[in-house]
Amino acid sequence: MSYVDDVYAKVVAKNPAEPEFHQAVKEFLETVRPVIDKHEEEYRKVALLERLTEPERQIRFRVPWVDDKGQVQVNTGYRVQFNSAIGPYKGGLRFHPSVYFGIIKFLGFEQIFKNSLTGLPIGGGKGGSDFDPKGKSDREVMAFCQSFMTELYRHIGKDTDVPAGDIGVGGREIGFLYGQYKRITGLYEGVLTGKGLSYGGSLARTEATGYGLIYFTQELMKINGIDVAGKTAVVSGAGNVAIYAIQKAQELGMKVLTCSDSTGWVYDPDGIDVKALKEIKEVNRARLTEYKKYRPNSEYHEGRGVWTIKADFAFPCATQNELNLDDAKTLVANGVTAVCEGANMPTTLDATNYLKEHGVIFGPAKAANAGGVATSALEMSQNSERLSWTFEEVDAKLKQIMINIVHNIDAAAKEYGKAGDYAAGANIAGFKKVADAMMSQGIV
Ligand code: GLU
């Protein structure tokens, strides 16, 4: 059995019932095969891939808290410190009922290579809880966050592990988590990113993932001879990534026709109204059913359906495995030019392969959505030097990072005879730096 197949079989056997983690490892291993094959003997001897797929540390803890009725609730907290070869563990916290080790490990594994691609010194980690912030009062969210941090604080620090947001964790949650960390440790340090501007946050961090996705797409299209202005796009999601992707796409002259949340989706033939979307989602924390009140010409549909609308670009910005093989077939039949991933692993493996086989330009999440974590690393730099940069400075750095990522993954794909396969290019370029650091640091 080849080394790659051998390691994949071991990962499945050692981590049973974690299909999302298996999927992330499989997608990675299949595309880095040419690099591994070249160094097979050397890597096998030092068990490089076995070490890479085994987190350095996995923490699971009880999170008890009291709800507004006085009832005690118990959730589970997780932090997976996956790989620190190139820097302190870095990655978000996800609060969602679907969270378990399989989700956190897939996210943490992808984070290793994403963070490597940013060119900044950050290792890979991820955490979260099965807590659902939806429908909870601010006091309940605070009680949960304080209890969560009361255990997590002992495992994190500005030079060891720096969490941030992800699904269900935004500015409000980061504020509560930060307050509790400071209260327990007495340290005013950059232990979390995505902080509010009044207490050490970075300008442009809120916008960074969505803006980065569009800067990435613009550059990827440029090297393929395509101008993004005047094109149409379909977006899924209505959270932080989707909102700022829509905003930047429209600023660059694209018309975004759709967005969605967990219960339904909106089709707006005149282009999504970002101001309305922000008010519904960021201020009122409400459902997309409200969108029609702002835009009577739009349509609201229950369920899923954004991929049925014909457009030049598709940006999945909601969650994992939200774009399946049937969706890929519909997109191809409608003549889609490119699919660039704003969410983490939103496209199933068979859908990704179908898109690639049918000539669709595919921008993988690790590269396309790296702008969020890259700007988190810029927030860490600002915290270390106790200075704040202007919006323009951070945004210019973000843009340059996304441009560099496009060129790096393009070059890596070409070097291994996979020109145009940007998923392979992203995995190869991300892996090479981490592998080099791990090989230099001995058996740890
Ligand atoms: N959760 C984001 C991601 O998937 C951001 C992580 C961070 O800023 O540390 O990359």
Side-chain angles (χ1 to χ4, degrees), residues 90-92 111 114 126 162 164-166 193 205 344 369 372-373 376:
K90 181 84 197 86
Q111 201 83 43
K114 181 196 306 198
K126 203 87 190 191
V162 184
D166 196 85
T193 59
R205 175 62 189 90
N344 289 313
N369 77 19
V373 75
S376 278

Side-chain angles (χ1 to χ4, degrees), residues 83 91 150 167 191 256 365 392:
N83 191 296
T150 301
I167 292 172
V191 67
V256 180
E392 290 70 25

Side-chain angles (χ1 to χ4, degrees), residues 159-270:
D159 295 313
T160 49
D161 184 355
V162 184
D166 196 85
I167 292 172
V169 179
R172 173 181 63 169
E173 290 74 16
I174 292 292
F176 293 146
L177 292 164
Y178 189 75
Q180 186 72 352
Y181 179 86
K182 184 164 62 64
R183 184 186 189 199
I184 296 171
T185 63
L187 298 171
Y188 207 103
E189 60 174 29
V191 67
L192 294 165
T193 59
K195 298 185 291 298
L197 297 177
S198 56
Y199 63 95
S202 173
L203 284 160
R205 175 62 189 90
T206 309
E207 296 83 353
T209 314
Y211 278 21
L213 170 68
I214 302 304
Y215 293 146
F216 172 91
T217 305
Q218 187 183 27
E219 190 66 15
L220 190 66
M221 292 307 107
K222 196 169 154 196
I223 66 169
N224 282 281
I226 299 162
D227 187 357
V228 297
K231 300 286 191 297
T232 52
V234 279
V235 167
S236 64
N240 174 264
V241 181
I243 289 174
Y244 293 98
I246 296 171
Q247 186 173 79
K248 184 53 75 177
Q250 297 194 337
E251 250 176 68
L252 296 182
M254 290 175 246
K255 189 197 264 188
V256 180
L257 302 170
T258 65
C259 63
S260 65
D261 64 14
S262 54
T263 49
W265 60 286
V266 159
Y267 169 58
D268 189 337
D270 303 321

Side-chain angles (χ1 to χ4, degrees), residues 31 52 59 69 88 94 142 169 187 192 240 244 326 408 435:
T31 52
L52 196 60
I59 301 146
K69 296 192 187 96
R94 176 176 292 192
M142 180 173 76
V169 179
L187 298 171
L192 294 165
N240 174 264
Y244 293 98
D326 285 339
N408 285 344

Side-chain angles (χ1 to χ4, degrees), residues 212-365:
L213 170 68
I214 302 304
Y215 293 146
F216 172 91
T217 305
Q218 187 183 27
E219 190 66 15
L220 190 66
M221 292 307 107
K222 196 169 154 196
I223 66 169
N224 282 281
I226 299 162
D227 187 357
V228 297
K231 300 286 191 297
T232 52
V234 279
V235 167
S236 64
N240 174 264
V241 181
I243 289 174
Y244 293 98
I246 296 171
Q247 186 173 79
K248 184 53 75 177
Q250 297 194 337
E251 250 176 68
L252 296 182
M254 290 175 246
K255 189 197 264 188
V256 180
L257 302 170
T258 65
C259 63
S260 65
D261 64 14
S262 54
T263 49
W265 60 286
V266 159
Y267 169 58
D268 189 337
D270 303 321
I272 296 290
D273 179 345
V274 178
K275 227 174 121 220
L277 188 60
K278 278 188 183 174
E279 197 169 302
I280 295 165
K281 287 293 167 183
E282 292 181 342
V283 183
N284 304 338
R285 295 183 191 274
R287 294 270 160 220
L288 278 178
T289 35
E290 305 230 323
Y291 187 83
K292 221 176 154 48
K293 287 188 204 152
Y294 297 82
R295 306 274 282 187
N297 272 348
S298 68
E299 294 170 17
Y300 174 80
H301 301 272
E302 292 288 327
R304 53 197 298 286
V306 297
W307 313 127
T308 61
I309 301 296
K310 184 178 164 61
D312 299 306
F313 304 134
F315 298 118
C317 296
T319 193
Q320 67 273 356
N321 293 329
E322 53 158 315
L323 197 164
N324 61 31
L325 183 58
D326 285 339
D327 301 322
K329 286 181 179 166
T330 309
L331 288 170
V332 167
N334 280 337
V336 76
T337 301
V339 174
C340 290
E341 300 182 315
N344 289 313
M345 206 170 76
T347 316
T348 61
L349 214 47
D350 51 359
T352 305
N353 291 335
Y354 186 87
L355 293 169
K356 286 202 238 168
E357 282 158 16
H358 288 78
V360 177
I361 302 170
F362 183 76

